[in-house]
Amino acid sequence: MSTVNHVPNQLLTRKLEAIFALTDDERQGIQGLPIQIKEFKTNQAIVQEGDCPSQCCMVLEGATCTYKMTIEGKRQILALHVPGDMPDLQSLHLKVLDINIASISTCKLGFIQHTDLRGLCERYPRLTAAFWRETLVHASIFREWLLNNGQRESYIRIAHLICELAVRLNAVGLVQDDSFKMPATQAELADATGVTPVHMNRVIKALRADGLISNKQSKITIPSWERLKEAGEFDSLYLHLLNKATDPVPTSEKEYH
Amino acid sequence: MSTVNHVPNQLLTRKLEAIFALTDDERQGIQGLPIQIKEFKTNQAIVQEGDCPSQCCMVLEGATCTYKMTIEGKRQILALHVPGDMPDLQSLHLKVLDINIASISTCKLGFIQHTDLRGLCERYPRLTAAFWRETLVHASIFREWLLNNGQRESYIRIAHLICELAVRLNAVGLVQDDSFKMPATQAELADATGVTPVHMNRVIKALRADGLISNKQSKITIPSWERLKEAGEFDSLYLHLLNKATDPVPTSEKEYH
DNA sequence: CGTTCGATTGACGTAGATCAAGTTACGTGG
DNA sequence: CCACGTAACTTGATCTACGTCAATCGAACG
């Protein structure tokens, strides 16, 4: 509940630095941005369809998801957000929200007022491009999910999603020794890939049997990144990562190959 | 091949006017934007995955689609574009393209150099917001397609897509007497909704049998917008249309109800 | 007036859904 | 720090929406 803690501003700075060198002025502008920190428990609503928010948020710790429901009550998870992501940046320009965002773990979010963000963008027009770019990358991920869910059979589809999570988590330093904490439950992964939880469980079992992943509890280990990537037909181009060091290969393989 | 023809600039002006009142200055800036017109036959590539375009385009006449392929050669159509849409505006900020765009009918496109567009946005910062918004609306459509293709059964899914096309075509004046020219073939609609062409055909047959649509050739007529909307679980919120007159109800029902 | 692309139809096959139990982990309060 | 309740994970048996394969038909166009 304070703006004194500068950790969130530093995460934001790092995010934008990934795109281009900030000037000292710009960096100071970001450091001065008031960010309100809020904590959430698992499965809490953050914003909802129909809301007209006057702020947007950034994930600092934990994970959130964007979802929509059909009339019959089926849920499609449209996006998973990890630290550094700004799940509802779109609300800056689309007044009424067409999505729901909820926490999927205990998590910490930083809230930035639209007015502050707009002010920052006016003062430093190059930052506008950086934030715009953030929304474009998320759009690109939506497209890849559309391809993935629409045209790939479930085994490949799920391997693909695991690859994406590995790469995105690795990009923010959350992969160690080829392992990461899976932020979503099997039921959530099922709602993201359009299969039933039962089927998700069977596919994960198969991936495990094939030696593509191993897990104790929510800690996933990827024995061979190359093999998983191949199984998931994964190419990270669509993530538009700029730091090629963090791009396709989680930590260990960077060192060994 | 000329920038003398001002029709494309007017379409662009109208598009942006839909969001907020332009100043005379801004309007003149847009009018002065060099736009190169090019014509395409059906099924021609416009841009492709891996390209680094230095321009982006706007559909003036006809229709285009964005798609991606899996390794096995299955195609997912990710978006359909009608006049007024800017299919690859994202290339302004994402250097290398992760999608393919092709014509799905004979069509006329207007090409704008990135440098010209960037110049315009620098001179009139409010226009930046307008273009950003265009990309956000497309992202919102991706999300709805993800929900539609992932969670709704094919009958509802296809009715939903037809609703979307009707509303979007109506918004640019291409619906008359509850009828419009379907811009896509059944095979293309199949690739957009993740079903086989055979199944698409059967669902369309069923929609026809149920009196939700009628068609001679590519001309689709919607006898009752209310019934189709209900069948497709359609709510146009996600299209973020501002002109509520063009929002949910194609022409005739606006007059009769 | 044949060629070609799109629409249509029938017979049959299957990936993944559904239903129905378990079983295992873990957070919480005593 | 243990017991207990709840959420997450597993597994087997059966079912179905949609896919696949294989023609045929119709209309636009050179």
Side-chain angles (χ1 to χ4, degrees):
Chain A
M1 299 298 170
S2 87
T3 61
V4 180
N5 182 339
H6 277 257
V7 173
N9 300 67
Q10 278 155 21
L11 186 55
L12 188 51
T13 304
R14 195 156 65 231
K15 174 125 210 140
L16 301 180
E17 294 263 29
I19 301 171
F20 47 61
L22 298 175
T23 65
D24 284 344
D25 257 19
E26 287 166 346
R27 204 174 288 115
Q28 271 184 16
I30 296 165
Q31 282 305 322
L33 201 62
I35 301 183
Q36 191 196 13
I37 298 176
K38 260 191 183 165
E39 301 198 356
F40 289 82
K41 292 204 279 288
T42 304
N43 292 325
Q44 273 193 286
I46 296 162
V47 291
Q48 290 189 283
E49 214 169 327
D51 287 359
C52 301
S54 60
Q55 55 184 12
C56 54
C57 67
M58 179 179 216
V59 180
L60 304 174
E61 284 172 27
T64 61
C65 75
T66 294
Y67 69 93
K68 275 184 161 182
M69 310 283 302
T70 65
I71 292 172
E72 304 93 56
K74 294 197 193 173
R75 175 176 69 161
Q76 175 70 43
I77 291 185
L78 303 160
L80 295 170
H81 312 289
V82 300
D85 288 334
M86 301 182 73
D88 64 347
L89 189 47
Q90 54 150 324
S91 65
L92 197 60
H93 293 295
L94 297 181
K95 248 176 63 89
V96 29
L97 218 62
D98 56 60
I99 50 169
N100 305 283
I101 301 179
S103 58
I104 55 171
S105 68
T106 57
C107 62
K108 198 181 280 187
L109 304 183
F111 286 87
I112 307 169
Q113 291 300 124
H114 284 171
T115 49
D116 293 330
L117 204 49
R118 265 190 263 271
L120 186 71
C121 288
E122 266 168 43
R123 240 170 314 127
Y124 309 104
R126 294 193 329 149
L127 296 184
T128 307
F131 287 116
W132 187 350
R133 190 178 189 285
E134 162 84 2
T135 64
L136 290 173
V137 170
H138 281 290
S140 177
I141 296 174
F142 293 140
R143 286 193 295 265
E144 185 69 22
W145 282 32
L146 210 36
L147 171 68
N148 202 33
N149 294 359
Q151 303 298 339
R152 295 203 257 249
E153 62 180 43
S154 62
Y155 184 91
I156 301 173
R157 189 190 310 176
I158 289 161
H160 188 283
L161 178 56
I162 294 172
C163 285
E164 179 185 309
L165 287 173
V167 169
R168 288 173 56 199
L169 288 169
N170 186 56
V172 288
L174 293 173
V175 176
Q176 275 129 31
D177 305 326
D178 304 327
S179 301
F180 61 92
K181 194 192 164 307
M182 168 55 67
T185 64
Q186 290 186 6
E188 286 156 353
L189 293 175
D191 282 349
T193 50
V195 301
T196 54
V198 172
H199 195 62
M200 174 57 66
N201 183 272
R202 289 197 241 262
V203 171
I204 287 176
K205 186 184 174 183
L207 289 169
R208 223 188 283 124
D210 294 345
L212 293 175
I213 62 169
S214 66
N215 67 313
K216 44 174 136 138
Q217 302 321 115
S218 62
K219 186 180 176 182
I220 303 268
T221 303
I222 300 174
S224 163
W225 175 247
E226 279 310 321
R227 286 186 55 224
L228 184 62
K229 232 174 81 167
E230 195 185 350
E233 300 184 3
F234 185 78
D235 175 348
S236 67
L237 172 64
Y238 74 98
L239 292 174
H240 297 276
L241 295 171
L242 291 157
N243 180 357
K244 283 305 166 189
T246 69
D247 181 322
V249 184
T251 46
S252 76
E253 306 217 357
K254 268 190 305 205
E255 296 155 20
Y256 302 157
H257 300 317
Chain B
M1 298 298 173
S2 89
T3 61
V4 180
N5 182 339
H6 277 257
V7 173
N9 300 66
Q10 278 155 22
L11 186 54
L12 187 52
T13 305
R14 194 157 66 229
K15 175 126 212 140
L16 301 180
E17 293 263 30
I19 301 170
F20 46 61
L22 299 175
T23 65
D24 284 345
D25 257 18
E26 287 166 344
R27 205 173 288 116
Q28 270 184 15
I30 297 165
Q31 281 305 321
L33 202 62
I35 301 183
Q36 190 194 14
I37 298 176
K38 260 192 184 163
E39 302 198 356
F40 289 82
K41 292 205 277 289
T42 305
N43 293 325
Q44 273 191 285
I46 296 163
V47 289
Q48 290 189 281
E49 214 169 328
D51 287 359
C52 301
S54 60
Q55 55 184 10
C56 54
C57 67
M58 179 179 215
V59 180
L60 303 174
E61 285 172 26
T64 63
C65 76
T66 294
Y67 69 92
K68 275 184 160 182
M69 310 283 302
T70 65
I71 291 172
E72 306 93 56
K74 294 196 193 174
R75 175 177 70 162
Q76 175 70 43
I77 290 185
L78 303 160
L80 296 170
H81 310 113
V82 301
D85 288 336
M86 301 182 74
D88 62 349
L89 189 48
Q90 53 150 323
S91 64
L92 197 61
H93 293 296
L94 297 181
K95 247 175 65 86
V96 31
L97 218 62
D98 56 60
I99 50 169
N100 305 283
I101 301 179
S103 58
I104 55 172
S105 68
T106 56
C107 62
K108 199 181 280 186
L109 303 183
F111 286 86
I112 307 170
Q113 292 300 124
H114 284 170
T115 49
D116 294 330
L117 204 49
R118 265 191 262 271
L120 186 72
C121 287
E122 267 169 41
R123 239 169 315 130
Y124 309 105
R126 294 193 328 149
L127 295 185
T128 307
F131 287 115
W132 187 350
R133 190 179 189 284
E134 163 83 1
T135 65
L136 291 172
V137 170
H138 282 290
S140 177
I141 296 175
F142 294 139
R143 285 193 296 265
E144 184 69 22
W145 281 33
L146 211 35
L147 171 68
N148 201 35
N149 294 358
Q151 303 298 339
R152 295 203 257 249
E153 63 179 43
S154 63
Y155 184 91
I156 301 173
R157 189 190 310 175
I158 289 161
H160 188 283
L161 178 56
I162 294 172
C163 286
E164 178 186 308
L165 286 173
V167 169
R168 288 173 56 198
L169 288 169
N170 187 56
V172 287
L174 293 173
V175 176
Q176 275 129 32
D177 304 327
D178 303 328
S179 301
F180 61 92
K181 194 194 163 307
M182 168 56 67
T185 64
Q186 289 186 8
E188 286 156 353
L189 294 175
D191 282 349
T193 50
V195 300
T196 55
V198 172
H199 195 64
M200 175 57 67
N201 184 272
R202 289 197 240 261
V203 171
I204 287 177
K205 185 181 173 184
L207 288 169
R208 222 186 286 124
D210 294 345
L212 293 176
I213 61 168
S214 65
N215 68 313
K216 45 173 135 140
Q217 302 318 114
S218 62
K219 184 178 176 184
I220 303 268
T221 303
I222 300 173
S224 162
W225 174 248
E226 279 311 320
R227 286 187 54 223
L228 184 62
K229 232 173 81 168
E230 195 186 350
E233 300 183 5
F234 185 78
D235 175 347
S236 68
L237 173 63
Y238 75 97
L239 292 174
H240 297 276
L241 294 171
L242 290 157
N243 179 357
K244 284 304 169 192
T246 68
D247 183 320
V249 185
T251 47
S252 77
E253 306 217 357
K254 271 191 303 207
E255 296 155 19
Y256 302 158
H257 299 318

